[in-house]
């Protein structure tokens, strides 16, 4: 589902850090402390982004769409 203002992450583990990349590979958001597994993305322009999440030494990469 597209994201508008807040990216909510459904995870059993707490997220240690999150990075969001534009499609051209530039880091547009980098956050080490993630509260309640949610991130404010309201300052990002509409488009497609790649999210890289780290949790308990595991790394997961997903594509998101911001409206």
């Amino acid at each position: 589902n597209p994201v508008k203002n807040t990216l909510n992450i459904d995870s059993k583990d707490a997220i240690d850090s999150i990075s969001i990349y534009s499609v051209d590979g530039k880091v547009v958001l980098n956050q080490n402390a993630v509260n309640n597994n949610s991130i404010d993305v309201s300052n990002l322009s509409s488009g497609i982004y790649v999210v890289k999440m780290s949790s308990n030494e595991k790394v997961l990469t997903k594509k998101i769409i911001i409206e």
Side-chain angles (χ1 to χ4, degrees):
N1 293 345
V3 177
K4 290 188 180 181
N5 295 317
T6 304
L7 172 63
N8 294 305
I9 303 159
D10 186 16
S11 174
K12 295 176 186 173
D13 300 318
I15 304 299
D16 298 324
S17 67
I18 189 165
S19 297
I20 300 180
Y21 300 86
S22 60
V23 289
D24 59 357
K26 294 180 185 175
V27 177
V28 294
L29 184 98
N30 198 11
Q31 190 168 334
N32 287 328
V34 180
N35 297 326
N36 300 322
N37 285 0
S38 64
I39 292 279
D40 179 14
V41 293
S42 60
N43 61 333
L44 299 179
S45 301
S46 298
I48 298 173
Y49 295 86
V50 175
V51 178
K52 181 179 175 183
M53 298 167 277
S54 299
S55 173
N56 291 338
E57 298 183 19
K58 298 176 188 174
V59 177
L60 178 65
T61 304
K62 292 284 187 178
K63 180 175 73 171
I64 63 167
I65 299 170
I66 296 181
E67 288 185 332

